[in-house]
Amino acid sequence: MEVLKAIKERRSIKKYLNKDVPLKTVLELIDAAHQAPSSGNLQNWRFIIVKNQKIKQEIAEACLDQTWMSEAPVLIVICSDREHLRTYYEKYTNTYSIQNCALAAQNLMLRAHSLKLGTCFVSGFSKMALKRALKITEGIEPESVIAIGFPTENPVSKRTSLEMITFFESYGNRRTDKSIYPLGDKLKLLFSKIKKK
Ligand SMILES: Cc1cc2nc3c(=O)[nH]c(=O)nc-3n(C[C@H](O)[C@H](O)[C@H](O)COP(=O)(O)O)c2cc1C
């Protein structure tokens, strides 16, 4: 699937078919996540695949009682080896830990979408409860939980306009020439011209 198509189509999915996601597919998702950039190429991400119903329920509880999560056939908990990061980047451990794992998560979700799987990124949780449920050891921190399954809903994208969020040369400086918006359409045109060449 074309990258832009996957980026545009991906939505957070919280309702799933009662259908297993094969382990081979789950590992494909992790492989995509593992291709993400990371600070110093330290690859601090660690992945816990959870299919066990009881553990999924414990995770859903740790995620502030988001019960829908236990209905997902698979949960992948993305953890960070913060100790490993700390050895190299003491001052930036927290920042890099979150950033590296978030980039991995997005890769994973886009690959999942390209395989017709729905995902939802969750990071509203009690770290302590999650660590307890998953026997996560010292120095390792959960960064996010990705719920995965075949979607039974098709939510629409809710986004503000590019005009609202884009500035030129300095913060707050908007273009008065509105004809350049939406940039997305202009880029699409540009890409199609490049393709034709
Ligand atoms: C840092 C972060 C934390 C999130 N935590 C939760 C969460 O705890 N529960 C949930 O249902 N969705 C969670 N989401 C998903 C967002 O609600 C969702 O991405 C947003 O509403 C935009 O919808 P979309 O992903 O379909 O474009 C989280 C997303 C991010 C990036």
Side-chain angles (χ1 to χ4, degrees), residues 103-126:
L103 288 162
Q106 178 73 345
N107 268 15
L108 189 155
M109 293 191 289
L110 290 175
R111 179 63 182 140
H113 178 78
S114 76
L115 296 171
K116 300 192 169 19
L117 285 162
T119 57
C120 187
F121 183 107
V122 173
S123 66
F125 47 65
S126 150

Side-chain angles (χ1 to χ4, degrees), residues 3 5 7 27 33 57 68 72 80-81 136 139 148 154 159:
V3 177
K5 184 170 155 62
I7 291 170
L27 290 169
Q57 265 155 4
W68 60 270
S80 169
D81 187 338
I136 295 173
I148 304 163
N154 189 16
R159 291 294 184 271

Side-chain angles (χ1 to χ4, degrees), residues 161-180:
S161 68
L162 289 185
E163 200 182 329
M164 285 289 296
I165 57 163
T166 310
F167 307 122
F168 296 85
E169 314 303 347
S170 60
Y171 190 84
N173 192 34
R174 294 197 167 90
R175 281 274 177 95
T176 47
D177 173 13
K178 304 272 194 275
S179 68
I180 57 163

